[in-house]
Amino acid sequence: MSVSTAAEAARAVQLRRDLEQHNYNYYVLDQPTIADGEWDKLFHELLALETAHPELATPDSPTQRVGSKPLESFASVTHRVPMLSLGNAFTDEDIDNFDRRCREGLDVAEVEYSCEAKFDGLAISLTYENGQFVQGATRGDGTVGEDVTQNLRTVRSIPLAIDSKAARLEVRGEVLMLRKDFDKLNARQAARGEKLFVNPRNASAGSLRQLDPKLTAERPLTFFAYGIGAIEGAELPVSHSALMDWLAALRFPVALQRRVVRGAAGLLDFYREIGALRPSLPFDIDGVVYKVNRFSQQQSLGFVSRAPRFAIAHKFPAEEATTVLLGIDVQVGRTGAITPVARLQPVFVGGTTVSNATLHNEDELKRKDLKIGDTVVVRRAGDVIPEVAAVIYAKRPADASEFVMPTACPECGSAIIKLEGEAVARCTGGLICPAQRKQALLHYAQRRAVDIEGLGDKLVDQLVDGDIVHTPADLYKLGVAALAGLERMAEKSATNLVASIEQSKSTTLAKFLFGLGIRHVGEATAKDLAKHFGKLDAIMDANIGQLLEVNDVGPVVAESLRKFFDQPHNREVVEQLRAGGVHWKEHEPAAVTGPSEGPFAGKTVVLTGTLSGMSRDEAKEKLEALGAKVSGSVSKKTDYVIAGEEAGSKLDKARELGVAVLDEQQFLALLQGD
Ligand code: IVH
């Protein structure tokens, strides 16, 4: 250890400043300006400086965020200003009443409110003294909480120092976990064979209350400020919205979803808007919060028991509820995929009563260790299909029973098999299986395919169960009379349906191809195929090699197409559809771009290393203009590898496979046609 020089001291200051700026860019603004590796380099430089010269270390250094020694227990913290809770509102009427109480209490015609998202996390209080973070506490019972300072230091979006002269400032807000971080954490837990967290909120709670701060440091927590507690030695802004702006200027993360509005109508508009955004937000929210904006008005309204009169939480329907798993059935999908479906004791969640939820596949069932009779957490977020999010093992009854995958399809009796390497078990019945037939018809009729308006699942059930329709081609034989005899089909709707079936005859090659429901051929692939080949017969007769020439068509898709069109039955359906009048405009195959002659025409080229005369992108552009396909990896199919300076493993691979290697000089010579 040696005494630090002035230069070293200055460097440490600079590094700390830079690292915290990068932290802020990354964790608060979500706009990183350097790569992770660069950050690590700066961090290790600072760590090395502080280790060699401990006198250079400061409590607000980014090196102090990695977690200190484990604690025996958390100390108690008595909040200087109690941490209250909010009254809840659920209906528009509740909001009208809230607004009326505020207007009457203040004796004004209209009230200005500050609205923001209600974070579904854990309330905490952060104390700063003379600009330094000195203590962080949980809410506890509102009067006394727990000292979790060491853990909160590891949360990168919480500033360790702020640019404020306030002798004391208590910032309040919510600790939570972003959904993407939660998913990553659970994937990591699963990989380690550890217990999965039920939701981001529980994961945050578990992480915040770790006695070992190093464990908390591994958990990706984040923070949003929504108010303050004690403030000494600084002037309080005049309104809540101004306070939020001030906190944002002090570099605290604050909700982007906030706005100042007037009257109950303004509140309800905000509620609907945020409700619509809810599923796409990066974190869970359980409602919105409305606060009378002016602090003077807040003060005059005051408090009732433990909640302010000037604020209220307007809750969204809960996205999760617990219920009992009564049984597990299986459903057969379009490609025969067998999906286990949970039969649940009906429960109100996400605004509706849910009695079924998807369980995805057998592996998922095993991963969750789900048994019939278990108490489970059901989640229904937005319009997403309800799912079983977690199992409450503590409530498992002694007679809980395991689910056994049936060996025969419940719809057609064909064998159910699971191919190696596939997560999904499948019914082998193909179009003999009524369930698969129904799905195939619905797939063909959907808007993104040939678009037959009015052909819904109830109708398809009747058409298949009544042996009226077997393949999409049979749809074109349906007449008003046959349809009008079906349940819920009056003559008028039958006429309409026949008209939309007629209309669906005029389609595009891409939509038709997608509608056939070939495995692995989604909408985008169907479009690529149509564009490349231009004609259906060309696609039906293409060999694997020709199929592989299409953009984004790999071996799996090519094989699936080949298999589909090799089945006489499938070709027959296609012919019947054409004979039934289904048509589209065909065109000549897309012209092959680039010249058909020259050293690079039709060649597959891989670039590796650094070229001194041009960038990788420029080289790629030039090659493509000359008719080459530029690929990212070397294989036997590669014609040339162009190796610049410091070429690495791709060059080795080329040599190993005996692929021609060009250096920059040779490449340029070929480009110039020498
Ligand atoms: S203001 C007097 N604003 O909701 C309490 N709270 O039931 C003032 N919460 O304990 C709280 N988001 O944990 C406020 N934008 C927000 C909030 C919020 C979440 C939580 C907070 C509080 C609970 C109130």
Side-chain angles (χ1 to χ4, degrees), residues 84-86 88 116-119 122-123 139 174 226 289 291 308:
L84 304 181
S85 62
L86 292 170
N88 287 330
E116 60 202 38
K118 184 173 187 300
F119 306 102
L122 302 138
R139 176 174 183 275
E174 204 91 344
Y226 55 63
V289 181
K291 299 164 188 173

Side-chain angles (χ1 to χ4, degrees), residues 82-88 115-124 139 172-176 201 224-228 240 244 255 257 285-291 303 306-308 310-313 315:
M83 293 181 77
L84 304 181
S85 62
L86 292 170
N88 287 330
C115 311
E116 60 202 38
K118 184 173 187 300
F119 306 102
D120 197 5
L122 302 138
I124 56 153
R139 176 174 183 275
R172 299 216 167 142
E174 204 91 344
V175 159
L176 50 83
R201 187 176 190 286
F224 284 99
Y226 55 63
I228 59 166
H240 182 74
M244 297 308 281
Q257 298 74 27
I285 61 174
D286 57 347
V288 292
V289 181
Y290 311 136
K291 299 164 188 173
F303 298 82
R306 312 259 321 137
F310 56 79
I312 200 161
K315 303 286 284 265

